[in-house]
Amino acid sequence: FVGELIGVREADRDWEGAIERVLRSLALSILVPDRLYPAASLWVDQNALKGRLVYFRIRPGQEVPASAPLPPDSLVRKLEIHPQTPHAGWIAAHLAARFDYACCRDLESFRREVRALTRAGQVKGGTEKHEKDDRYRIDDRTRYVLGWSNKEKIRALEREIEALDAQLRQEEKERRALEKEAQALSARIGTLARLSEFREFRDLDWREVALEIDRYLAEKKELEEGSDILR
């Protein structure tokens, strides 16, 4: 993958999120040396990939040097290429040809440039087309694909797993509480449903019955205490 062979320079890490967005499509592409091209194209054609695949055929001597030196604020100058890749020349030429965006620290300079990029991720691809993709956080390192070391991405994924585990435990706790509440409500519904068995309110008026029982008990006690025979 191209992304495994390109990294953002340490001094330019404040541009990493924006550069990741611009180069994502290229980074997820595959480089196929010319000697493997027949086998690769045959395999791709004969298999249902269930996804999108982009690959580049790399011919010997295909590197095309840049026609002019890159400006100091060029996106390409903020990148480094893996020192041991045999495709360094092709990558450098491809980056210079397609991704020579001016990295602008203010919108005034961004508006002046023909092809430009802001640290917030707004891309200007000409005098008319502008784009900003905020479907994901620009600093979401779990989506980063550039660089030949994945230690930081693994740490970001581990932190995300921990956060999701904590969220899962909390939601499980809330689920149990809701189940308990649902059981109580179900019992209450059953009690309310039994009210249909009573046609008149006096059938439910237990207070009147209780008061009458109290009166009878009081009368019984009074009779018993007032009669030597009953006592």
Side-chain angles (χ1 to χ4, degrees):
F1 287 94
V2 179
E4 296 177 277
L5 306 175
I6 302 173
V8 179
R9 296 183 183 277
E10 191 66 32
D12 296 299
R13 282 298 186 95
D14 54 336
W15 286 91
E16 190 172 17
I19 292 174
E20 282 276 350
R21 287 186 177 182
V22 173
L23 296 184
R24 185 174 181 82
S25 179
L26 174 65
L28 297 178
S29 303
I30 295 176
L31 298 183
V32 179
D34 193 52
R35 61 184 176 81
L36 299 177
Y37 174 68
S41 59
L42 177 65
W43 188 91
V44 170
D45 202 57
Q46 290 181 344
N47 288 272
L49 304 179
K50 299 181 181 179
R52 181 174 181 265
L53 171 66
V54 177
Y55 67 95
F56 292 91
R57 178 183 182 181
I58 310 299
R59 296 185 176 92
Q62 196 179 8
E63 298 85 354
V64 180
S67 57
L70 295 169
D73 60 355
S74 173
L75 179 154
V76 182
R77 287 188 176 273
K78 299 185 183 300
L79 302 174
E80 55 184 349
I81 300 173
H82 196 293
Q84 298 179 356
T85 175
H87 307 306
W90 184 93
I91 294 172
H94 191 81
L95 289 172
R98 289 191 53 197
F99 298 97
D100 183 19
Y101 291 92
C103 293
C104 303
R105 295 186 177 273
D106 59 78
L107 284 176
E108 185 176 348
S109 57
F110 175 81
R111 297 185 187 107
R112 287 197 307 266
E113 297 288 346
V114 177
R115 303 174 70 191
L117 172 69
T118 68
R119 276 188 293 184
Q122 184 175 181
V123 183
K124 183 180 181 182
T127 57
E128 297 178 355
K129 183 182 178 182
H130 295 66
E131 181 179 354
K132 189 168 185 277
D133 185 358
D134 281 336
R135 288 175 293 178
Y136 302 94
R137 288 171 54 96
I138 198 168
D139 59 351
D140 183 1
R141 190 167 292 278
T142 64
R143 293 183 53 81
Y144 284 11
V145 291
L146 296 177
W148 43 91
S149 173
N150 57 8
K151 291 182 179 180
E152 291 185 9
K153 183 168 185 173
I154 290 174
R155 283 196 291 269
L157 289 169
E158 288 173 344
R159 287 193 296 270
E160 184 178 42
I161 289 172
E162 291 173 359
L164 289 172
D165 282 342
Q167 181 182 348
L168 184 62
R169 289 192 296 270
Q170 178 62 29
E171 291 181 353
E172 177 64 20
K173 181 179 178 181
E174 293 176 1
R175 184 188 66 81
R176 290 194 297 267
L178 288 172
E179 283 184 348
K180 187 176 180 180
E181 183 180 353
Q183 291 173 358
L185 289 172
S186 179
R188 187 177 181 186
I189 289 172
T191 301
L192 293 172
R194 288 196 293 274
L195 289 175
S196 61
E197 301 172 5
F198 304 95
R199 297 186 178 277
E200 298 182 8
F201 175 71
R202 62 185 180 184
D203 295 334
L204 295 172
D205 189 11
W206 60 270
R207 290 184 178 85
E208 183 62 32
V209 176
L211 291 173
E212 189 173 1
I213 291 173
D214 288 341
R215 286 196 299 270
Y216 285 140
L217 291 174
E219 184 178 353
K220 177 176 180 288
K221 182 178 181 182
E222 184 179 354
L223 289 172
E224 287 175 345
E225 291 179 350
S227 169
D228 294 337
I229 297 174
L230 290 176
R231 187 165 53 251

